[in-house]
Amino acid sequence: MFGHSLDEQLQTRIDSIFKSLESLEKLSQDVKNVNNKFKWSKSIRQESAKKYLDRESLSSDDIEVSIIIPSQNKYPLNLFTLYSLEYQTFDLSKMEVILIDDASKDETEEKLKDYHPPYHFKYIRSTERLGRARVRNVGIQSARGSVLIFLDAEMMTEPNFVENHYINHQTQNNLILSGALYLRAVYSCIFPTFSEQQMNKIADVTKQNQELYSRYKQCKFPLDHPYPLIDKRDIAQNGFKELSFNAYPWYQQIVRNFNEELEGFAFPWMALLTGNMSIRRELIIQAGLFDEEFYHYGYEDWELGYRLYLMGAQYKISNEIVTYHQEHPVEENKWKEAVGNFGLFTIKHHDVDVLILGLELARMTDLLTMSHILKEYKLLLQSNPTHFQSFSEKFICILETIVLLLEVDIRHFNLLGAAGFSSKAKSDLKNDMKQINKLKKYPNLTEFLDKVLNA
């Protein structure tokens, strides 16, 4: 390996791995074949933009804000979310809530089809599962508001939630506003499959309120259905907040280290998390909506976020639009679905900004260090536009190999061997590192590469 020109060597390595593993190509084809009819090519995106922008004339009800809520088997959590939207300070006559039921098998249809809140409400049900991207596109296509808020079905809101989202979009047309990084957790229901640890946590948080603690004590196992700990009155009075707690350290490390504009963060587009974010409808249509090839769990939001980032969209996070995630059982297969969608993400955007996400996914580094590595890598190439081109190709080769190994669930030992590096190629990489070390500006990049060399 690395005996011929580097371009030829890298292509030979990539061809060899793809022929032997066929993992990413198979993944892409499998995803395309699962209940998807739309492929968002550039021409279709342009056609879609014209089609949906023409709908402006249909907004006869003076709707300013559309809240899009996909839901699959989330009753009664989705009802609590809808209740929380009834008490908004925003003019309810100028907002609509669109709940798209993605083939739920629980009580969602029975309980919500006749729901009549004080705001405009549209219930859309699909009898076949649409998938995470397509179900949100259905909401976009049904929306009449100029500002779209994406909200997960299990997210309860505070009274100023809609108003604060809306205000931020009045002075900036290319803004993506996210409150997801300030997410708090809450137990609104007890589920039959909750663990002893979860029950102990519920006991701990409910002790602060005598009535809530009494409800907890009245819950008796085994359960056939979710047991509600709160009711509509608790939501109207914001009493559910007494049950809330911090539970998402991944988000908190971003909030602690960067400002609202995420200055200095290499991945501002990660703020596009559809659990709680807003965007102007015209902007998301120009971007081509969500890519419907992302059928399963994960990365459909970041893929759109990255596209918008490349278009020049501005990202902002805010602690004035906090949501409360109602804890519920999580399916065990989410990890494999996420890895599969990450592979699809790298196929669609074979850029270093995306490939490098494999470092954290493979647990080779944490989020902040990964951000530093990417920034240092880009600075190195910008400061030395011709000197480190060979190193750059080796670095990309390493990232590609990490992605492939994740796809086949192989741990990241002996990465250089898996990447097909010969003894000479390894020696060249060591020499590159010596030169980079002498510059004394790239500590995170060199530390990562040192781990790779010594693995």
Side-chain angles (χ1 to χ4, degrees):
M1 187 65 181
F2 289 95
H4 303 287
S5 71
L6 194 56
D7 285 345
E8 293 175 352
Q9 297 154 4
L10 289 175
Q11 188 59 53
T12 299
R13 185 201 65 80
I14 293 170
D15 289 344
S16 174
I17 293 178
F18 266 85
K19 286 179 180 178
S20 60
L21 301 179
E22 296 183 346
S23 54
L24 288 184
E25 187 62 32
K26 183 179 185 299
L27 165 76
S28 178
Q29 190 59 47
D30 286 347
V31 175
K32 289 177 183 177
N33 289 336
V34 183
N35 288 340
N36 282 299
K37 298 179 180 179
F38 300 98
K39 305 295 182 287
W40 293 103
S41 65
K42 183 176 180 181
S43 61
I44 292 178
R45 288 173 183 169
Q46 292 172 343
E47 180 182 339
S48 298
K50 181 180 186 302
K51 175 181 178 181
Y52 300 126
L53 286 174
D54 286 345
R55 287 170 50 87
E56 287 292 339
S57 60
L58 300 180
S59 301
S60 56
D61 292 332
D62 199 28
I63 300 297
E64 296 284 349
V65 177
S66 298
I67 304 171
I68 297 170
I69 304 177
S71 184
Q72 185 181 58
N73 299 324
K74 288 296 188 295
Y75 185 83
L77 309 185
N78 49 18
L79 182 59
F80 291 155
T81 294
L82 294 173
Y83 283 161
S84 72
L85 293 171
E86 292 187 19
Y87 304 102
Q88 294 298 305
T89 57
F90 189 78
D91 186 345
L92 298 185
S93 70
K94 295 185 177 181
M95 64 176 259
E96 66 176 355
V97 177
I98 304 169
L99 189 138
I100 309 98
D101 182 353
D102 195 10
S104 294
K105 297 180 180 179
D106 61 6
E107 297 176 74
T108 295
E109 180 180 17
E110 177 187 349
K111 301 295 185 181
L112 297 188
K113 65 181 180 180
D114 295 321
Y115 173 63
H116 299 292
Y119 47 74
H120 299 270
F121 179 65
K122 184 182 296 184
Y123 173 78
I124 301 172
R125 175 170 172 78
S126 173
T127 56
E128 295 184 3
R129 188 182 173 195
L130 301 176
R132 294 174 61 86
R134 189 177 181 188
V135 71
R136 289 179 171 86
N137 286 344
V138 169
I140 296 168
Q141 295 160 11
S142 302
R144 293 175 289 174
S146 59
V147 174
L148 306 183
I149 299 176
F150 291 88
L151 188 66
D152 277 354
E154 66 273 25
M155 298 288 193
M156 289 190 291
T157 67
E158 295 186 354
N160 58 1
F161 172 78
V162 175
E163 183 177 7
N164 287 341
H165 264 292
Y166 179 78
I167 288 173
N168 274 275
H169 288 280
Q170 301 315 298
T171 57
Q172 198 170 351
N173 291 329
N174 67 336
L175 176 69
I176 288 92
L177 181 66
S178 175
L181 300 184
Y182 295 94
L183 179 67
R184 291 181 63 80
V186 64
Y187 284 104
S188 63
C189 290
I190 296 174
F191 284 82
T193 57
F194 270 1
S195 66
E196 181 179 354
Q197 181 181 4
Q198 288 172 308
M199 293 302 296
N200 289 338
K201 181 65 177 179
I202 294 171
D204 183 56
V205 297
T206 54
K207 284 180 181 178
Q208 303 172 35
N209 184 297
Q210 184 176 355
E211 183 176 353
L212 293 175
Y213 186 66
S214 175
R215 294 177 195 169
Y216 158 73
K217 295 294 288 184
Q218 292 172 16
C219 178
K220 304 298 181 183
F221 280 86
L223 297 173
D224 294 326
H225 297 88
Y227 174 88
L229 286 168
I230 64 173
D231 55 28
K232 190 173 184 179
R233 181 187 57 181
D234 298 310
I235 296 171
Q237 299 173 353
N238 269 346
F240 68 88
K241 293 172 61 175
E242 295 184 36
L243 298 174
S244 69
F245 54 96
N246 288 321
Y248 303 99
W250 191 91
Y251 295 152
Q252 292 166 23
Q253 63 180 320
I254 300 176
V255 170
R256 287 194 301 265
N257 288 278
F258 303 99
N259 62 15
E260 283 191 343
E261 285 73 33
L262 297 173
E263 293 176 320
F265 186 43
F267 314 101
W269 43 270
M270 284 185 175
L272 199 152
L273 294 162
T274 49
N276 174 11
M277 79 91 178
S278 59
I279 184 174
R280 283 199 166 269
R281 183 162 66 95
E282 182 178 4
L283 181 59
I284 198 170
I285 289 170
Q286 289 174 352
L289 284 66
F290 290 90
D291 189 322
E292 296 186 1
E293 291 186 36
F294 289 86
Y295 179 79
H296 294 291
Y297 175 81
Y299 293 96
E300 80 286 343
D301 45 6
W302 282 2
E303 192 279 331
L304 173 61
Y306 186 62
R307 267 189 280 138
L308 285 161
Y309 172 73
L310 296 178
M311 288 172 56
Q314 298 298 308
Y315 286 86
K316 179 181 178 181
I317 59 175
S318 173
N319 62 0
E320 296 182 344
I321 48 175
V322 176
T323 48
Y324 298 80
H325 180 266
Q326 303 172 72
E327 299 294 284
H328 57 82
V330 179
E331 298 177 22
E332 295 181 358
N333 63 346
K334 294 299 184 186
W335 164 256
K336 290 184 178 180
E337 290 186 6
V339 170
N341 271 3
F342 173 59
L344 182 59
F345 191 7
T346 63
I347 291 173
K348 291 177 174 292
H349 304 280
H350 204 73
D351 307 330
V352 65
D353 304 67
V354 176
L355 290 169
I356 202 168
L357 301 184
L359 301 190
E360 189 200 21
L361 195 58
R363 298 181 176 88
M364 299 181 70
T365 185
D366 60 42
L367 176 63
L368 295 182
T369 303
M370 185 172 70
S371 176
H372 292 317
I373 292 172
L374 179 59
K375 290 173 63 181
E376 290 176 8
Y377 169 77
K378 289 185 173 182
L379 178 61
L380 175 67
L381 297 189
Q382 291 168 1
S383 303
N384 307 271
T386 58
H387 190 69
F388 289 104
Q389 285 304 310
S390 175
F391 164 77
S392 172
E393 292 170 349
K394 295 187 187 75
F395 183 71
I396 296 297
C397 176
I398 291 169
L399 298 183
E400 291 170 340
T401 303
I402 292 170
V403 174
L404 290 167
L405 294 181
L406 278 168
E407 280 297 312
V408 293
D409 200 24
I410 297 176
R411 297 304 175 188
H412 47 272
F413 63 90
N414 191 17
L415 268 177
L416 298 184
F421 276 52
S422 65
S423 298
K424 182 180 184 306
K426 294 178 183 178
S427 176
D428 290 343
L429 182 59
K430 289 180 181 179
N431 290 332
D432 290 334
M433 282 186 58
K434 289 179 181 178
Q435 296 180 50
I436 296 171
N437 269 319
K438 289 179 181 179
L439 299 174
K440 298 181 179 180
K441 293 182 179 180
Y442 313 99
N444 294 281
L445 178 61
T446 53
E447 182 179 351
F448 164 68
L449 290 171
D450 187 60
K451 290 180 181 178
V452 171
L453 280 166
N454 295 307

